[in-house]
Amino acid sequence: MELELRDGDYVPDGAGGLRRRSGQEALAQRVLFRLTARRGTFPFWETLGSRLWQLGRLGPSARQGAARQYVEEALAEEKGLRVEDVTLEEREGGGTLRVALRWEGGVLPVTVEVP
């Protein structure tokens, strides 16, 4: 079970505790956190997070390949999870990253906005 996060804050359960998620919901939350947190900013866990925020520094032809590499790198510590597909839809000022993940025989789609 994982504590539920919304907009960077834990979500109260209305009874003095915090709301929890399990199964696919917990996995999706962990994946989103790993993809949106900046890799290297956690002093005691340097491998947590991704480098997706660096995509804008790369040339247009390198971004798609780097996006897949950064996603795989960020999710490497998630056991039983495989990256099936990564698609970067670019627009001025950022883009949308669509990721298809395979786990326990199912596919988990994840969408992340990137700078």
Side-chain angles (χ1 to χ4, degrees):
M1 283 201 136
E2 304 285 329
L3 292 173
E4 182 177 349
L5 281 170
R6 185 178 306 137
D7 300 325
D9 293 321
Y10 292 113
V11 178
D13 66 2
L18 298 172
R19 191 176 300 167
R20 297 184 177 275
R21 294 288 178 227
S22 61
Q24 184 173 340
E25 289 178 338
L27 176 62
Q29 185 169 291
R30 284 195 315 273
V31 165
L32 285 172
F33 183 79
R34 288 180 179 275
L35 294 177
T36 57
R38 286 186 174 205
R39 190 177 192 91
T41 59
F42 298 90
F44 299 105
W45 197 353
E46 293 180 5
T47 59
L48 179 64
S50 76
R51 295 187 292 152
L52 289 169
W53 61 276
Q54 296 177 334
L55 286 174
R57 296 180 178 181
L58 302 174
S61 63
R63 289 184 193 136
Q64 181 64 46
R68 183 174 185 99
Q69 176 187 341
Y70 295 167
V71 167
E72 288 177 347
E73 179 181 271
L75 301 178
E77 294 177 7
E78 283 290 333
K79 303 292 184 225
L81 190 66
R82 189 175 81 234
V83 178
E84 293 261 311
D85 189 41
V86 176
T87 305
L88 178 61
E89 298 170 10
E90 296 187 66
R91 62 180 179 283
E92 189 161 332
T96 301
L97 187 70
R98 299 188 195 289
V99 181
L101 303 168
R102 171 83 48 196
W103 74 288
E104 295 182 4
V107 175
L108 176 67
V110 177
T111 302
V112 178
E113 295 300 315
V114 293

